[in-house]
Amino acid sequence: MSDEAQEAFDLFEADEYGTISIEDLFIAVRGLGYTPSNQQLYNVLSDLNTDGRISYSTFCQVIERLESDVGPAGLLEAFKLFDKEGRGSIPMKDLQGVLMSWGQKLNRQEVDDFMKAAGLSEGSKMNYEELCAKLLAGQK
């Protein structure tokens, strides 16, 4: 798990057993940039059989589940957050900034590789609905 995840967990670790509360889990997860509903988090916790306190190991399992639960709707919603004009596309300069500064940060070479694989140029706009369709088709 990333250093960011460890730092988020450590911010809330309050007891001698190395655990955090469910309420703190919700805050920490959202602080890492995930946007699950409360019900989604409760469903994940239910599957993991927690006792009301969250260990770092369980915290990492929650994060892994949230990362694997991103489906077509979640992917589109994530891109829509950056579509200021509501036209179904994002300027590449905006996307580059996001990819290099949020979540699991990509370096410049990784961003360039992504752009090349997606057939995008520096000044272009990315049609995220088309990109999502390509990405999801590759998962099947």
PDB file of all heavy atoms in Angstrom, residues 15 19-25 45 49-55 58:
ATOM      1  N   ASP A  15      -5.809   4.579  19.248  1.00  0.00           N
ATOM      2  CA  ASP A  15      -5.782   3.693  20.405  1.00  0.00           C
ATOM      3  C   ASP A  15      -4.516   2.827  20.436  1.00  0.00           C
ATOM      4  O   ASP A  15      -3.748   2.779  19.487  1.00  0.00           O
ATOM      5  CB  ASP A  15      -7.048   2.827  20.474  1.00  0.00           C
ATOM      6  CG  ASP A  15      -7.164   1.816  19.347  1.00  0.00           C
ATOM      7  OD1 ASP A  15      -6.151   1.524  18.682  1.00  0.00           O
ATOM      8  OD2 ASP A  15      -8.270   1.309  19.127  1.00  0.00           O
ATOM      9  N   THR A  19      -5.683   0.728  15.891  1.00  0.00           N
ATOM     10  CA  THR A  19      -6.899   0.729  15.086  1.00  0.00           C
ATOM     11  C   THR A  19      -7.536   2.117  15.065  1.00  0.00           C
ATOM     12  O   THR A  19      -7.235   2.960  15.904  1.00  0.00           O
ATOM     13  CB  THR A  19      -7.936  -0.286  15.624  1.00  0.00           C
ATOM     14  OG1 THR A  19      -8.316   0.086  16.948  1.00  0.00           O
ATOM     15  CG2 THR A  19      -7.378  -1.701  15.620  1.00  0.00           C
ATOM     16  N   ILE A  20      -8.402   2.306  14.072  1.00  0.00           N
ATOM     17  CA  ILE A  20      -9.173   3.543  13.977  1.00  0.00           C
ATOM     18  C   ILE A  20     -10.658   3.192  13.962  1.00  0.00           C
ATOM     19  O   ILE A  20     -11.034   2.042  13.719  1.00  0.00           O
ATOM     20  CB  ILE A  20      -8.798   4.365  12.714  1.00  0.00           C
ATOM     21  CG1 ILE A  20      -9.097   3.584  11.434  1.00  0.00           C
ATOM     22  CG2 ILE A  20      -7.350   4.813  12.778  1.00  0.00           C
ATOM     23  CD1 ILE A  20      -8.907   4.388  10.150  1.00  0.00           C
ATOM     24  N   SER A  21     -11.486   4.182  14.198  1.00  0.00           N
ATOM     25  CA  SER A  21     -12.931   3.955  14.209  1.00  0.00           C
ATOM     26  C   SER A  21     -13.463   3.914  12.771  1.00  0.00           C
ATOM     27  O   SER A  21     -12.801   4.359  11.826  1.00  0.00           O
ATOM     28  CB  SER A  21     -13.641   5.082  14.966  1.00  0.00           C
ATOM     29  OG  SER A  21     -13.529   6.296  14.230  1.00  0.00           O
ATOM     30  N   ILE A  22     -14.660   3.412  12.610  1.00  0.00           N
ATOM     31  CA  ILE A  22     -15.310   3.387  11.294  1.00  0.00           C
ATOM     32  C   ILE A  22     -15.507   4.812  10.788  1.00  0.00           C
ATOM     33  O   ILE A  22     -15.302   5.094   9.606  1.00  0.00           O
ATOM     34  CB  ILE A  22     -16.638   2.610  11.355  1.00  0.00           C
ATOM     35  CG1 ILE A  22     -16.337   1.121  11.553  1.00  0.00           C
ATOM     36  CG2 ILE A  22     -17.465   2.836  10.105  1.00  0.00           C
ATOM     37  CD1 ILE A  22     -17.557   0.247  11.762  1.00  0.00           C
ATOM     38  N   GLU A  23     -15.873   5.717  11.682  1.00  0.00           N
ATOM     39  CA  GLU A  23     -16.059   7.110  11.285  1.00  0.00           C
ATOM     40  C   GLU A  23     -14.757   7.700  10.737  1.00  0.00           C
ATOM     41  O   GLU A  23     -14.761   8.409   9.735  1.00  0.00           O
ATOM     42  CB  GLU A  23     -16.565   7.954  12.468  1.00  0.00           C
ATOM     43  CG  GLU A  23     -17.954   7.593  12.934  1.00  0.00           C
ATOM     44  CD  GLU A  23     -17.994   6.347  13.833  1.00  0.00           C
ATOM     45  OE1 GLU A  23     -16.938   5.932  14.383  1.00  0.00           O
ATOM     46  OE2 GLU A  23     -19.085   5.771  13.959  1.00  0.00           O
ATOM     47  N   ASP A  24     -13.642   7.397  11.407  1.00  0.00           N
ATOM     48  CA  ASP A  24     -12.348   7.879  10.937  1.00  0.00           C
ATOM     49  C   ASP A  24     -11.975   7.230   9.599  1.00  0.00           C
ATOM     50  O   ASP A  24     -11.369   7.872   8.742  1.00  0.00           O
ATOM     51  CB  ASP A  24     -11.253   7.612  11.968  1.00  0.00           C
ATOM     52  CG  ASP A  24     -11.387   8.494  13.195  1.00  0.00           C
ATOM     53  OD1 ASP A  24     -12.067   9.538  13.116  1.00  0.00           O
ATOM     54  OD2 ASP A  24     -10.801   8.134  14.236  1.00  0.00           O
ATOM     55  N   LEU A  25     -12.348   5.978   9.418  1.00  0.00           N
ATOM     56  CA  LEU A  25     -12.112   5.297   8.149  1.00  0.00           C
ATOM     57  C   LEU A  25     -12.783   6.060   7.012  1.00  0.00           C
ATOM     58  O   LEU A  25     -12.173   6.304   5.972  1.00  0.00           O
ATOM     59  CB  LEU A  25     -12.636   3.863   8.186  1.00  0.00           C
ATOM     60  CG  LEU A  25     -12.728   3.177   6.820  1.00  0.00           C
ATOM     61  CD1 LEU A  25     -11.363   2.727   6.360  1.00  0.00           C
ATOM     62  CD2 LEU A  25     -13.694   2.019   6.859  1.00  0.00           C
ATOM     63  N   LEU A  45     -17.171  -3.110   4.465  1.00  0.00           N
ATOM     64  CA  LEU A  45     -16.870  -3.487   5.852  1.00  0.00           C
ATOM     65  C   LEU A  45     -17.628  -4.751   6.257  1.00  0.00           C
ATOM     66  O   LEU A  45     -17.088  -5.599   6.968  1.00  0.00           O
ATOM     67  CB  LEU A  45     -17.194  -2.334   6.800  1.00  0.00           C
ATOM     68  CG  LEU A  45     -16.278  -1.119   6.671  1.00  0.00           C
ATOM     69  CD1 LEU A  45     -16.802   0.028   7.521  1.00  0.00           C
ATOM     70  CD2 LEU A  45     -14.846  -1.467   7.030  1.00  0.00           C
ATOM     71  N   ASN A  49     -16.047  -8.401   7.664  1.00  0.00           N
ATOM     72  CA  ASN A  49     -16.357  -8.825   9.040  1.00  0.00           C
ATOM     73  C   ASN A  49     -15.566  -8.061  10.093  1.00  0.00           C
ATOM     74  O   ASN A  49     -14.864  -8.638  10.915  1.00  0.00           O
ATOM     75  CB  ASN A  49     -16.111 -10.332   9.210  1.00  0.00           C
ATOM     76  CG  ASN A  49     -17.046 -11.156   8.368  1.00  0.00           C
ATOM     77  OD1 ASN A  49     -18.219 -10.825   8.225  1.00  0.00           O
ATOM     78  ND2 ASN A  49     -16.526 -12.226   7.787  1.00  0.00           N
ATOM     79  N   THR A  50     -15.688  -6.753  10.079  1.00  0.00           N
ATOM     80  CA  THR A  50     -14.987  -5.945  11.078  1.00  0.00           C
ATOM     81  C   THR A  50     -15.786  -5.898  12.368  1.00  0.00           C
ATOM     82  O   THR A  50     -16.989  -6.122  12.388  1.00  0.00           O
ATOM     83  CB  THR A  50     -14.779  -4.507  10.567  1.00  0.00           C
ATOM     84  OG1 THR A  50     -16.051  -3.927  10.358  1.00  0.00           O
ATOM     85  CG2 THR A  50     -13.975  -4.485   9.287  1.00  0.00           C
ATOM     86  N   ASP A  51     -15.101  -5.587  13.450  1.00  0.00           N
ATOM     87  CA  ASP A  51     -15.746  -5.537  14.762  1.00  0.00           C
ATOM     88  C   ASP A  51     -15.981  -4.103  15.248  1.00  0.00           C
ATOM     89  O   ASP A  51     -16.158  -3.868  16.430  1.00  0.00           O
ATOM     90  CB  ASP A  51     -14.909  -6.304  15.779  1.00  0.00           C
ATOM     91  CG  ASP A  51     -13.528  -5.692  15.977  1.00  0.00           C
ATOM     92  OD1 ASP A  51     -13.210  -4.689  15.306  1.00  0.00           O
ATOM     93  OD2 ASP A  51     -12.770  -6.216  16.801  1.00  0.00           O
ATOM     94  N   GLY A  52     -15.942  -3.158  14.337  1.00  0.00           N
ATOM     95  CA  GLY A  52     -16.151  -1.769  14.737  1.00  0.00           C
ATOM     96  C   GLY A  52     -14.871  -0.963  14.817  1.00  0.00           C
ATOM     97  O   GLY A  52     -14.908   0.256  14.841  1.00  0.00           O
ATOM     98  N   ARG A  53     -13.731  -1.626  14.875  1.00  0.00           N
ATOM     99  CA  ARG A  53     -12.438  -0.955  14.853  1.00  0.00           C
ATOM    100  C   ARG A  53     -11.697  -1.453  13.618  1.00  0.00           C
ATOM    101  O   ARG A  53     -11.812  -2.611  13.233  1.00  0.00           O
ATOM    102  CB  ARG A  53     -11.623  -1.266  16.108  1.00  0.00           C
ATOM    103  CG  ARG A  53     -12.261  -0.802  17.417  1.00  0.00           C
ATOM    104  CD  ARG A  53     -12.404   0.680  17.555  1.00  0.00           C
ATOM    105  NE  ARG A  53     -11.120   1.369  17.556  1.00  0.00           N
ATOM    106  CZ  ARG A  53     -10.991   2.686  17.557  1.00  0.00           C
ATOM    107  NH1 ARG A  53     -12.035   3.469  17.546  1.00  0.00           N
ATOM    108  NH2 ARG A  53      -9.800   3.231  17.562  1.00  0.00           N
ATOM    109  N   ILE A  54     -10.923  -0.566  12.986  1.00  0.00           N
ATOM    110  CA  ILE A  54     -10.282  -0.875  11.722  1.00  0.00           C
ATOM    111  C   ILE A  54      -8.767  -0.897  11.899  1.00  0.00           C
ATOM    112  O   ILE A  54      -8.166   0.120  12.249  1.00  0.00           O
ATOM    113  CB  ILE A  54     -10.659   0.179  10.647  1.00  0.00           C
ATOM    114  CG1 ILE A  54     -12.174   0.389  10.575  1.00  0.00           C
ATOM    115  CG2 ILE A  54     -10.065  -0.180   9.299  1.00  0.00           C
ATOM    116  CD1 ILE A  54     -12.968  -0.837  10.212  1.00  0.00           C
ATOM    117  N   SER A  55      -8.158  -2.046  11.628  1.00  0.00           N
ATOM    118  CA  SER A  55      -6.698  -2.161  11.666  1.00  0.00           C
ATOM    119  C   SER A  55      -6.132  -1.635  10.343  1.00  0.00           C
ATOM    120  O   SER A  55      -6.876  -1.446   9.369  1.00  0.00           O
ATOM    121  CB  SER A  55      -6.291  -3.626  11.835  1.00  0.00           C
ATOM    122  OG  SER A  55      -6.650  -4.361  10.662  1.00  0.00           O
ATOM    123  N   THR A  58      -6.927  -4.078   7.562  1.00  0.00           N
ATOM    124  CA  THR A  58      -8.307  -3.954   7.078  1.00  0.00           C
ATOM    125  C   THR A  58      -8.465  -2.680   6.256  1.00  0.00           C
ATOM    126  O   THR A  58      -9.132  -2.676   5.220  1.00  0.00           O
ATOM    127  CB  THR A  58      -9.297  -3.966   8.258  1.00  0.00           C
ATOM    128  OG1 THR A  58      -9.130  -5.194   8.976  1.00  0.00           O
ATOM    129  CG2 THR A  58     -10.728  -3.837   7.784  1.00  0.00           C
TER     130      THR A  58
END
